[in-house]
């Protein structure tokens, strides 16, 4: 009986259902065939609709294969007890309906991937004897030895004999990938991650989805993404950068695709430099609008001793708006270039001093150095918590929850987003500026406490890219709201929004509260813990410098371990 797609808000499957993964797959296919039909060819749409005409067991078995890696599967390895019919019967139905190729031709690589060494040795025993090689060769050596004389493709029966269980190939895997892309808006999330994990184990904010709330509005955009994904895969597989460069799609008028193309060109430039093609690396980096591309281009020009060109670019870039990381990196480059050019070294505002102290502790029998420092510092009237990047991000996420999940075009494509798709794009804040302004106004009139507490209660357990629920307890939230002044929260949140990708990390490990301190501005301090031999990273240094510049109490605790016989 056909199960036709329905245009209703999808729900996650009950994990008690042994076929919950099939229900979740059907959720995705219904969503795509309903909301993205105009991006599908007639044949593609018919094929996806045909999925629902298969028997339940056939649909489940096909879903299992789609979630696994590759397209080739041994029939004798497909064992799923939740099916209501034998696997062979479901395979026969899938082959009959055109979803499987029942006798695919296999190359040597396929054969060695699908079968064990014990299964392969008898097949090539005669060849090894002819070559005068021992029959106990390991798998990689065996493949290398027989490869010259077995370069063709054959059905499994001709490789291994007719008594072997068949091998099947899933057809239309490219259509499943296209479907996954249209649903997620990316190919980073795999079927297995989503169908088996995310849908079943997370709760999602209910965002209103309008017709323009889609990852793609033109089929050409889907094709462009797939082409860029293929380029990136080839780079990861070691294909020379110059071979991939020719296939990089042209620049798009889609801001979201443009950001992905910028990242691709950044990686292509890296690979080209590693492969010794510096001219291509410079061209790729110059074509990329990614933040990191500019610094990498300048450093490459330095290594190529093209100091005049690097100096002109650096001085021009210095006049623009820079993130902290860019300003730090550019300052170092300008200092080096100035000495090469005989120019005056640009004046750099000295970083404020970082507060430090040392604790000598007994090495703990278990746990980290951060936890040891927390336990040592914590007192009943001054509790310390291990928070690292969770507390300030969490307070921001609770205050700005409704803004983060604002339903604007290109932010949410389906009902199962952890956060907006444009979260780390440079226009994320600009597209929501008025809404962020209203959030920050609450820090001025005191309304932020109510909003944070209301969202903490109402959204408990709902996925948010800034909120880690197990860490953000009622006790920690209460102390943070009582002890951290609204003025401090504002400057911290403002810096976070300058570069979300970069500034979400680098916060100190610990926070200690002093709720009874008479000075309301000195009721907390942040503490970065460094064990023996550890040192501060650049992003940590930038946060510590920011704290010092904004009169926020923060320091570095250097831990040394107490030696045997040493008094505490």
């Amino acid at each position: 009986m056909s199960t036709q797609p329905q245009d209703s808000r999808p729900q996650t499957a009950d994990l008690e259902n042994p076929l919950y993964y099939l229900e979740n797959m059907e959720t995705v296919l219904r969503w795509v065939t309903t909301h993205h039909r105009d991006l599908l060819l007639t044949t593609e749409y018919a094929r996806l609709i045909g999925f629902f005409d298969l028997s339940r067991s056939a649909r489940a078995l096909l879903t299992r294969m789609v979630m696994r890696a590759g397209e080739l599967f041994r029939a004798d390895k497909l064992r799923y007890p939740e099916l209501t019919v034998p696997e062979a019967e479901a395979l026969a139905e899938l082959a009959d309906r055109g979803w499987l190729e029942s006798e695919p031709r296999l190359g040597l690589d396929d054969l060695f991937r699908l079968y064990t060494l014990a299964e392969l040795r008898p097949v090539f025993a005669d060849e090894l004897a002819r070559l005068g090689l021992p029959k106990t060769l390991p798998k990689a050596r065996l493949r290398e030895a027989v490869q010259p004389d077995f370069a063709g493709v054959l059905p499994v029966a001709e490789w291994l004999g007719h008594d072997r269980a068949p091998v099947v190939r899933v057809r239309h895997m490219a259509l499943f990938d296209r479907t996954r892309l249209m649903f997620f808006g990316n190919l980073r999330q795999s079927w297995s991650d989503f169908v088996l994990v995310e849908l079943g184990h997370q709760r999602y904010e209910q965002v209103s989805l309008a017709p323009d709330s889609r990852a793609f509005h033109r089929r050409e955009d889907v094709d462009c993404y797939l082409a860029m994904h293929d380029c990136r895969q080839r780079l990861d597989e070691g294909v020379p950068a110059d071979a991939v460069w020719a296939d990089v799609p042209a620049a798009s008028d889609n801001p979201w695709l443009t950001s992905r193309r910028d990242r691709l060109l950044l990686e292509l430039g890296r690979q080209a430099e590693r492969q010794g093609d510096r001219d291509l690396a410079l061209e790729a980096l110059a074509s990329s609008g990614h933040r990191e591309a500019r610094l990498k281009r300048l450093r490459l020009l330095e290594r190529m001793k093209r100091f005049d060109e690097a100096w002109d670019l650096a001085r021009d870039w210095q006049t623009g708006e820079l993130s902290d990381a860019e300003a730090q990196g550019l300052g170092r480059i300008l200092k080096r270039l100035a000495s090469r050019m005989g120019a005056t070294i640009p004046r750099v505002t000295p970083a404020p001093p970082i507060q430090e102290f040392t604790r000598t502790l007994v090495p703990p029998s278990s746990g980290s150095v951060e936890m040891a420092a927390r336990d040592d510092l914590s007192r009943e009237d001054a509790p310390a918590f291990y928070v690292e990047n969770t507390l300030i991000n969490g307070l921001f996420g609770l205050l700005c929850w409704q803004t983060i999940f604002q339903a604007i075009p290109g932010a949410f494509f389906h009902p199962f987003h952890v956060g907006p798709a444009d979260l780390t794009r440079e226009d994320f804040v600009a597209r929501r500026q008025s809404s962020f302004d209203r959030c920050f106004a609450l820090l001025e009139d005191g309304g932020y406490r109510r909003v944070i507490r209301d969202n903490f209660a109402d959204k408990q357990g709902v996925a948010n890219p800034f909120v880690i629920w197990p860490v953000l307890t009622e006790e920690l939230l209460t102390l943070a709201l009582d002890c951290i002044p609204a003025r401090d929260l504002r400057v911290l949140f403002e810096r976070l929004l300058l570069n979300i990708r970069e500034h979400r990390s680098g916060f100190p490990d610990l926070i200690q509260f002093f709720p009874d301190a008479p000075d309301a501005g000195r009721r907390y301090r942040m503490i970065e813990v460094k064990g023996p031999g550890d040192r501060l990273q650049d992003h940590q240094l930038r946060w510590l410098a920011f704290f010092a510049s904004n009169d926020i109490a923060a320091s570095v605790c250097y831990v040394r371990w107490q030696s045997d016989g040493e008094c505490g």
Side-chain angles (χ1 to χ4, degrees):
M1 178 179 178
S2 174
T3 307
Q4 296 299 326
Q6 301 295 316
D7 188 7
S8 59
R9 192 171 193 92
Q11 301 295 320
T12 58
D14 182 356
L15 292 179
E16 297 300 318
N17 176 4
L19 291 175
Y20 73 93
Y21 60 88
L22 173 59
E23 288 192 36
N24 288 334
M25 174 64 85
E26 290 173 349
T27 290
V28 174
L29 297 187
R30 286 193 182 98
W31 186 266
V32 169
T33 53
T34 299
H35 295 274
H36 298 78
R37 183 172 181 175
D38 58 314
L39 304 182
L40 295 166
L41 300 177
T42 302
T43 53
E44 293 170 337
Y45 177 76
R47 174 54 62 181
L48 293 178
I49 289 296
F51 178 89
F52 294 92
D53 290 325
L54 295 167
S55 70
R56 188 172 178 84
S57 292
R59 297 199 307 274
L61 183 56
L62 180 57
T63 299
R64 283 290 194 182
M65 289 189 284
V66 168
M67 292 191 310
R68 288 170 56 174
E71 299 179 350
L72 292 166
F73 301 93
R74 291 173 55 168
D76 60 338
K77 297 296 184 182
L78 297 172
R79 294 288 180 264
Y80 299 106
E82 70 271 17
L83 302 185
T84 57
V85 302
E87 287 82 359
E89 184 177 327
L91 288 172
E93 179 184 350
L94 291 170
D96 183 61
R97 300 292 293 273
W99 289 99
L100 295 181
E101 183 182 353
S102 56
E103 293 187 7
R105 300 172 72 84
L106 309 182
L108 201 65
D109 287 342
D110 300 322
L111 199 69
F112 273 69
R113 187 167 55 251
L114 290 168
Y115 291 92
T116 66
L117 180 58
E119 292 171 314
L120 292 170
R121 276 176 173 162
V123 178
F124 298 105
D126 291 344
E127 179 67 8
L128 290 177
R130 186 184 68 80
L131 294 172
L133 295 172
K135 61 182 180 181
T136 57
L137 284 180
K139 197 172 188 180
R141 290 277 309 281
L142 173 60
R143 186 206 169 283
E144 182 182 352
V146 302
Q147 197 277 332
D149 291 326
F150 292 89
V153 292
L154 299 168
V156 68
E158 295 188 35
W159 279 115
L160 305 178
H162 292 275
D163 59 333
R164 292 287 185 178
V167 170
V168 297
R169 183 192 303 274
V170 175
R171 289 174 167 164
H172 313 295
M173 195 64 88
L175 176 57
F176 277 107
D177 286 340
R178 182 178 286 266
T179 301
R180 177 163 57 100
L181 172 58
M182 286 188 287
F183 184 79
F184 288 120
N186 66 73
L187 288 175
R188 181 186 68 258
Q189 291 168 278
S190 70
W191 285 117
S192 58
D193 288 343
F194 181 70
V195 174
L196 291 176
V197 180
E198 293 187 8
L199 273 182
H201 292 80
Q202 292 199 92
R203 292 173 53 213
Y204 300 86
E205 179 66 12
Q206 299 295 293
V207 180
S208 176
L209 298 173
D212 59 357
S213 298
R214 301 196 304 179
F216 305 98
H217 297 279
R218 300 178 302 182
R219 184 177 175 87
E220 293 79 8
D221 289 342
V222 183
D223 294 337
C224 178
Y225 187 106
L226 290 169
M228 289 192 289
H229 181 73
D230 179 67
C231 288
R232 181 56 193 261
Q233 280 193 314
R234 290 164 62 199
L235 285 174
D236 292 344
E237 292 165 0
V239 175
D242 60 346
V244 177
W245 172 252
D247 297 325
V248 173
S252 168
D253 60 359
N254 182 319
W256 179 59
L257 289 176
T258 297
S259 68
R260 299 200 66 87
R261 184 175 183 272
D262 288 340
R263 290 199 292 274
L264 171 63
L265 291 173
L266 173 66
E267 182 59 27
L268 193 145
R270 287 171 172 160
Q271 298 279 20
E273 184 179 4
R274 292 191 194 107
Q275 294 163 9
D277 194 342
R278 288 181 162 183
D279 289 333
L280 174 57
L282 281 178
E283 187 175 358
L285 293 172
S287 301
S288 173
H290 195 281
R291 284 180 180 270
E292 295 179 29
R294 292 181 286 192
L295 278 176
K296 290 188 178 299
R297 184 184 175 198
L298 283 174
R299 289 170 183 148
L300 179 54
L301 286 169
E302 276 192 283
R303 287 191 287 273
M304 296 173 71
K305 303 188 185 306
R306 291 163 60 170
F307 301 119
D308 290 344
E309 187 177 347
W311 176 254
D312 290 341
L313 282 172
R315 290 300 299 273
D316 181 62
W317 186 25
Q318 189 185 24
T319 62
E321 185 175 345
L322 305 175
S323 71
D324 290 350
E326 290 171 327
Q328 184 184 59
L330 182 60
R332 292 169 177 170
I333 290 173
L334 282 169
K335 184 176 180 180
R336 294 194 300 267
L337 289 174
S339 62
R340 293 278 187 181
M341 303 297 296
T344 302
I345 296 177
R347 292 187 61 185
V348 178
T349 303
I354 295 173
Q355 301 300 312
E356 302 174 349
F357 65 97
T358 301
R359 304 291 283 197
T360 301
L361 307 180
V362 175
S365 58
S366 63
S368 65
V369 64
E370 292 86 2
M371 296 305 186
R374 179 203 64 183
D375 295 343
D376 176 71
L377 292 167
S378 191
R379 307 192 309 266
E380 185 175 350
D381 63 337
F385 297 81
Y386 176 71
V387 293
E388 198 173 11
N389 300 315
T390 60
L391 178 59
I392 302 303
N393 280 314
L395 293 172
F396 169 81
L398 291 172
L399 175 64
C400 302
W401 190 290
Q402 283 69 29
T403 301
I404 293 165
F405 289 99
Q406 187 175 340
I408 62 177
F412 298 95
F413 315 145
H414 54 76
F416 308 109
H417 276 275
V418 171
D422 62 340
L423 180 65
T424 57
R425 244 176 44 198
E426 293 193 13
D427 61 349
F428 172 75
V429 176
R431 299 212 301 155
R432 301 162 175 83
Q433 189 64 65
S434 60
S435 185
F436 275 121
D437 289 343
R438 289 191 292 273
C439 291
F440 280 48
L442 296 170
L443 293 164
E444 303 299 327
D445 64 21
Y448 72 97
R449 290 171 172 266
R450 174 186 53 80
V451 170
I452 288 176
R453 285 200 168 278
D454 286 349
N455 283 329
F456 181 78
D458 297 342
K459 305 297 184 181
Q460 192 68 217
V462 178
N464 180 308
F466 295 95
V467 180
I468 308 299
W469 287 110
V471 178
L472 199 59
T473 63
E474 177 71 39
E475 179 190 14
L476 178 58
L477 181 68
T478 298
L479 283 166
L481 291 178
D482 288 346
C483 297
I484 303 177
R487 171 261 175 197
D488 289 7
L489 291 176
R490 182 181 186 106
V491 297
L492 290 168
F493 295 167
E494 286 175 342
R495 184 176 191 269
L496 177 61
L497 286 180
L498 286 175
N499 187 337
I500 291 174
R501 183 190 299 276
E502 177 185 315
H503 294 166
R504 274 197 295 181
S505 62
F507 287 98
D509 299 303
L510 309 180
I511 189 166
Q512 186 170 24
F513 297 107
F514 307 94
D516 299 327
D519 184 350
R522 284 290 180 264
R523 290 180 178 160
Y524 78 102
R525 65 169 173 168
M526 292 193 250
I527 306 163
E528 177 64 33
V529 179
K530 290 299 174 187
D534 199 2
R535 65 181 182 86
L536 292 168
Q537 304 299 308
D538 277 351
H539 65 314
Q540 295 170 336
L541 284 166
R542 290 191 289 269
W543 267 117
L544 290 166
F546 176 83
F547 297 144
S549 298
N550 287 273
D551 195 28
I552 292 175
S555 54
V556 181
C557 172
Y558 288 100
V559 172
R560 61 183 294 265
W561 299 125
Q562 180 178 314
S563 60
D564 292 341
E566 183 179 2
C567 293

